Amino acid sequence: MDSEYAIEVNNITKAFKVYYDKSNSLKEKMIFWRRNRHENREVIRGISFKVKKGESIGLVGKNGCGKSTTLKLLSRIIYPDSGSIKINGRVSSLIELGAGFHPDMSGRENIYTNASIFGLTKREIDERLDDIIEFSELGEFINEPVRTYSSGMYMRLAFSVAINVDADVLLIDEILAVGDANFQRKCYNKLREIKGEGTTIVIVSHDLSSIEQFCDRSLWIKDGKIEKEGPPKEVHLAYLDYMNDAAIARQKAELERKKQEQEEAAKRQAEEERRRKEEEKRKAAARLRYGSQDAVFTDIHLLDEKGQDSNSFTTGEPMTLNLHYTVKTKVTDCVFGFGIFRSDGLWVYGTNTRIDRLPNFDIEKDGSYTVKIQHLNLIPGSYWCDITIEYGAGIPVDYYKKALKFTVFSNTADVGIARFPHSWELNI
Amino acid sequence: MIKEIKEIYAYREMIATLVRKDLRGRYKGSVLGFLWTFINPLFQLLIYTMVFSVIMRSGEDQYYLFLFVCLIPWMFFASSLQDGSIAIIREQDMVKKIYFPRAVLPIATVTSGFVNMLLTFIVVIAVTLISGRGINAAAIACLPIVMIVEYILCLGVAFIAAALTVYLRDLQYIFGIFVMGLQYASPVMYRVDNGLVPDRLLWIFRLNPLTSILNSYRDCLYDKVIPDFGQLGYGLAFGVVLTLFGFFLFEHLQKGFAENF
């Protein structure tokens, strides 16, 4: 045994099996024993280092680089796949504080439970009890159940136990988030004191300055290997450079991505605008034409006296509506109708087959209907014609507003809406 | 091996803490609390007395005592196997997060069952005295030896059960069924040597280390004779081999515990 070193790590590797679907039951293991698919994720790919007794080292690296796994391997929670780890002396870890704390037991009882998990005997705990209680600053609360503690008090107690174990090797993972500023300062001081007493310390942290304060040496771990080791300042400089480059690259990529995103957004917006307009148009059209569409108008015509398509008429002339429709689903108790509106929306006239007392009928196949207006007695102007297919009490099947437009002319300058056939008799 | 045992010894306070927690937690929340440790077996005994001396009469003159002096060691064995099988997975949060020699957990489970048996035996001996059956001081003096032999056997069983169940969770239920069957392959409710068990099945009982241990309990407490140490020696040898094997198996498998939750 080389007693100069507290920790000797010799070319360790560690891979985790990442199961796609983990089975722990017999049935699954038997049925799927070929199918227990997993991927081996190599986290540590050959790390070696030695730590002298009394030396403090820091492990730095970005998230997922394997530094916390290294710490777990050092604490023997997990074991390396190959290589060896040798530690001389008692190990205490500040990785999971407050293990085994029981909420219903008092702080004092929990000190015994928690310290026993660190491998302390009753006598050793008795010796340290006062130190622990004093350090935790819990005072009277030490006899209260732990469940009544605030999270700060809880962490203070847990930290006090762990730090008073008097380990030869102390493993620390992101400690210094414990308690308020005062307590943190106290923790730092205690750590310095422990270091002064010759305890070997391994710290994993993202807080580089605290490592620079404490540690004699830094190991930068990158992708499961040691990238650089040496005096903390030097290593951290290289590490920060690397992280900066990575950050700049990331920023560039981010910028690029944002630019692309903006372009795409603009495109999307234009597209949306276009779609919205179309939609509006379609909606407007729909407002002009609604109903169940079981039967719909197909061919619609306005015919003049001679049976020719026309959209201009002279007042008093005949006008014929010739309307063809197609039937999709049989319409029972059908009603045909039409209406005439002046261009300003005034309803001039409207009627349908029911109003005009035609017998009830159903429509089953394509057909047409014709409305003959013998005298179109309208004052000159522009007019719209609405045409309708309804059923029952006026439920629309195809209600087609403004289906046809026509203009009325006249050489007479009478005014109003309709021309009533009339004659004058003058008795002057 | 020596190193591991030394480390476990260093963690003796943790074992003690776990045992205390388990014994105290067993009747947690009840008004009588720890007293139930004594009340429970006392009433169990009372019921057996009524059933076996009034309804189901058997050849033994005090069948309830005959049964009870072996039922309690049997229950210790059964709990060592069944509680032992979940000793690790029950504490998986701790196993995942911090280091301690994992063997502490099955040792604590067995020790807790052992202490519980000791306390129950206070009731048994008291009843033996009161019922007029009486005790033989020399025979009673042998009782601790028998208990230690059983403790060793239980330890081996718990090591194996605890380690394997982490990797195959079904085992905890399989052990439950195994225990149910094993009770009838052990001289808990009847004697092996009075011709009740057919000859062609006797080899099962002879192979079973519990036969030697349970017979020795009955010798000490019911028949009031010094147990046959030759017979008990088989149980001891079996237990020592099982414990050594179990410990090696456990130490081998424990490296993967934290990754198997």
Side-chain angles (χ1 to χ4, degrees):
Chain A
M1 193 197 282
D2 191 348
S3 60
E4 192 192 343
Y5 295 106
I7 302 173
E8 288 173 69
V9 175
N10 189 14
N11 199 22
I12 51 167
T13 64
K14 181 74 193 171
F16 289 110
K17 283 181 182 153
V18 181
Y19 285 88
Y20 298 122
D21 48 334
K22 172 106 175 137
S23 62
N24 259 335
S25 80
L26 184 64
K27 185 185 81 189
E28 284 168 2
K29 274 198 175 158
M30 291 215 295
I31 299 174
F32 303 125
W33 68 283
R34 274 174 196 288
R35 267 206 271 163
N36 224 330
R37 297 192 308 146
H38 62 262
E39 180 192 333
N40 260 352
R41 192 164 298 159
E42 274 186 79
V43 182
I44 307 287
R45 307 160 189 249
I47 286 183
S48 304
F49 61 90
K50 287 179 179 180
V51 185
K52 285 199 191 112
K53 281 191 172 162
E55 193 186 14
S56 299
I57 65 160
L59 301 178
V60 299
K62 62 177 181 184
N63 289 329
C65 73
K67 56 188 191 308
S68 286
T69 304
T70 307
L71 209 61
K72 274 192 173 177
L73 285 164
L74 287 178
S75 69
R76 286 179 295 169
I77 294 168
I78 53 176
Y79 289 77
D81 295 335
S82 69
S84 66
I85 296 174
K86 211 162 91 185
I87 295 183
N88 300 319
R90 178 187 272 160
V91 181
S92 170
S93 65
L94 298 184
I95 298 175
E96 285 292 334
L97 292 172
F101 267 23
H102 197 291
D104 286 334
M105 296 203 294
S106 73
R108 189 186 297 272
E109 286 172 300
N110 270 308
I111 289 175
Y112 279 92
T113 311
N114 191 225
S116 76
I117 293 171
F118 286 110
L120 262 55
T121 59
K122 185 151 187 324
R123 196 198 303 155
E124 286 173 313
I125 302 170
D126 287 336
E127 282 167 16
R128 291 164 173 76
L129 191 64
D130 291 336
D131 286 344
I132 293 172
I133 294 173
E134 199 202 312
F135 192 82
S136 70
E137 298 175 0
L138 282 169
E140 314 259 289
F141 286 106
I142 201 68
N143 294 317
E144 303 283 322
V146 163
R147 72 181 133 77
T148 63
Y149 287 16
S150 71
S151 59
M153 288 158 78
Y154 185 94
M155 290 307 283
R156 252 155 46 204
L157 182 63
F159 187 87
S160 304
V161 177
I163 203 119
N164 279 299
V165 167
D166 288 352
D168 303 304
V169 177
L170 188 62
L171 308 173
I172 304 173
D173 193 351
E174 295 292 357
I175 26 148
L176 301 156
V178 183
D180 53 22
N182 278 335
F183 192 76
Q184 281 192 17
R185 200 169 317 122
K186 202 167 149 185
C187 292
Y188 272 112
N189 290 338
K190 180 74 183 176
L191 279 179
R192 269 197 207 98
E193 192 187 312
I194 286 173
K195 181 169 145 58
E197 286 164 5
T199 306
T200 310
I201 300 176
V202 180
I203 300 178
V204 163
S205 184
H206 289 290
D207 178 12
L208 299 180
S209 68
S210 71
I211 291 184
E212 277 161 26
Q213 275 185 49
F214 274 116
C215 300
D216 312 312
R217 193 151 56 102
S218 244
L219 304 184
W220 166 19
I221 297 176
K222 187 184 153 198
D223 300 330
K225 283 182 178 158
I226 294 178
E227 178 78 8
K228 194 173 166 65
E229 66 171 296
K233 289 233 158 95
E234 264 174 44
V235 173
H236 295 175
L237 220 59
Y239 171 61
L240 285 175
D241 267 354
Y242 162 77
M243 288 299 272
N244 254 344
D245 288 349
I248 288 168
R250 211 170 35 241
Q251 241 165 25
K252 258 189 199 159
E254 180 81 355
L255 224 66
E256 190 66 22
R257 205 174 53 77
K258 273 213 178 121
K259 211 167 119 191
Q260 242 170 28
E261 232 168 47
Q262 264 166 10
E263 274 167 21
E264 250 162 50
K267 234 190 253 172
R268 250 202 321 275
Q269 219 171 348
E271 173 74 6
E272 217 157 79
E273 184 73 8
R274 198 180 58 75
R275 211 175 291 154
R276 200 173 55 77
K277 276 185 182 153
E278 246 170 40
E279 178 79 355
E280 241 165 43
K281 252 192 229 167
R282 208 181 55 73
K283 267 190 189 154
R287 273 198 299 280
L288 290 176
R289 193 167 181 179
Y290 53 87
S292 67
Q293 308 286 312
D294 287 341
V296 289
F297 291 108
T298 48
D299 241 5
I300 50 176
H301 303 277
L302 284 179
L303 305 175
D304 63 11
E305 211 172 353
K306 294 164 211 143
Q308 306 269 320
D309 274 311
S310 173
N311 53 19
S312 49
F313 300 87
T314 312
T315 306
E317 225 185 10
M319 184 177 83
T320 304
L321 294 164
N322 184 240
L323 310 169
H324 297 261
Y325 58 81
T326 179
V327 179
K328 288 175 195 156
T329 314
K330 180 182 175 180
V331 179
T332 52
D333 197 12
C334 186
V335 179
F336 296 137
F338 77 98
I340 293 170
F341 294 79
R342 203 163 67 186
S343 58
D344 63 355
L346 177 80
W347 194 353
V348 179
Y349 184 70
T351 187
N352 60 33
T353 51
R354 173 156 302 154
I355 294 168
D356 288 344
R357 295 202 178 84
L358 268 67
N360 290 348
F361 59 92
D362 305 334
I363 52 173
E364 285 181 76
K365 54 181 202 293
D366 301 357
S368 69
Y369 71 88
T370 305
V371 183
K372 280 189 176 148
I373 298 166
Q374 277 83 12
H375 302 287
L376 186 65
N377 286 333
L378 289 172
I379 293 298
S382 312
Y383 296 87
W384 292 103
C385 192
D386 290 7
I387 53 179
T388 66
I389 304 173
E390 296 168 314
Y391 76 96
I395 300 155
V397 176
D398 190 7
Y399 201 108
Y400 196 171
K401 284 186 145 182
K402 297 192 178 177
L404 295 157
K405 188 183 182 186
F406 62 93
T407 317
V408 177
F409 299 95
S410 173
N411 49 12
T412 317
D414 46 359
V415 294
I417 301 164
R419 177 177 295 172
F420 296 100
H422 63 277
S423 56
W424 298 87
E425 196 173 310
L426 301 174
N427 300 306
I428 303 168
Chain B
M1 172 90 187
I2 304 282
K3 206 179 111 216
E4 276 94 3
I5 292 172
K6 263 190 183 161
E7 197 182 15
I8 291 166
Y9 180 70
Y11 273 77
R12 60 191 178 280
E13 179 60 23
M14 183 178 177
I15 297 175
T17 307
L18 287 170
V19 171
R20 266 200 301 275
K21 206 165 97 182
D22 186 52
L23 287 175
R24 236 188 284 169
R26 218 170 264 211
Y27 300 100
K28 199 171 164 254
S30 60
V31 179
L32 295 174
F34 196 66
L35 267 181
W36 278 111
T37 312
F38 303 104
I39 299 170
N40 233 355
L42 194 67
F43 275 87
Q44 208 177 350
L45 241 176
L46 249 163
I47 290 165
Y48 285 156
T49 310
M50 295 210 274
V51 172
F52 291 113
S53 56
V54 180
I55 304 169
M56 277 180 64
R57 322 197 93 207
S58 80
E60 300 291 339
D61 45 349
Q62 281 172 309
Y63 184 75
Y64 62 97
L65 271 180
F66 172 89
L67 175 64
F68 214 61
V69 297
C70 281
L71 193 63
I72 290 162
W74 164 256
M75 289 195 301
F76 167 46
F77 176 83
S79 78
S80 294
L81 178 56
Q82 291 191 270
D83 296 348
S85 74
I86 55 167
I88 303 291
I89 50 180
R90 197 175 42 190
E91 300 291 349
Q92 53 177 287
D93 281 339
M94 241 159 62
V95 173
K96 255 187 300 194
K97 288 173 183 165
I98 50 172
Y99 174 79
F100 55 88
R102 311 306 192 200
V104 159
L105 293 175
I107 291 173
T109 304
V110 173
T111 308
S112 159
F114 186 72
V115 174
N116 199 50
M117 176 174 77
L118 287 184
L119 296 171
T120 315
F121 262 120
I122 297 174
V123 177
V124 175
I125 291 173
V127 170
T128 314
L129 283 171
I130 294 165
S131 69
R133 185 158 194 95
I135 53 171
N136 174 351
I140 290 281
C142 297
L143 196 58
I145 301 170
V146 183
M147 285 176 172
I148 288 165
V149 171
E150 193 189 7
Y151 181 82
I152 292 169
L153 180 74
C154 287
L155 211 53
V157 164
F159 278 140
I160 295 167
L164 291 179
T165 307
V166 175
Y167 293 91
L168 187 55
R169 303 293 163 90
D170 290 56
L171 279 175
Q172 54 182 304
Y173 311 111
I174 294 170
F175 287 140
I177 298 166
F178 177 71
V179 159
M180 229 190 313
L182 188 65
Q183 182 172 7
Y184 297 97
S186 310
V188 180
M189 302 169 86
Y190 34 76
R191 284 188 201 270
V192 195
D193 43 19
N194 63 357
L196 200 66
V197 178
D199 284 350
R200 67 196 150 82
L201 293 180
L202 270 178
W203 63 272
I204 300 174
F205 288 85
R206 294 222 177 91
L207 219 57
N208 182 355
L210 283 167
T211 305
S212 76
I213 292 168
L214 293 175
N215 279 344
S216 300
Y217 274 108
R218 200 161 272 151
D219 286 343
C220 292
L221 286 162
Y222 186 77
D223 295 330
K224 294 185 287 181
V225 295
I226 297 197
D228 175 358
F229 284 108
Q231 195 188 201
L232 191 59
Y234 172 68
L236 178 65
F238 199 107
V240 169
V241 170
L242 199 70
T243 300
L244 285 176
F245 170 75
F247 187 69
F248 278 118
L249 182 76
F250 187 90
E251 284 300 316
H252 180 68
L253 291 179
Q254 67 94 3
K255 297 189 173 180
F257 282 174
E259 291 166 60
N260 258 284
F261 297 118

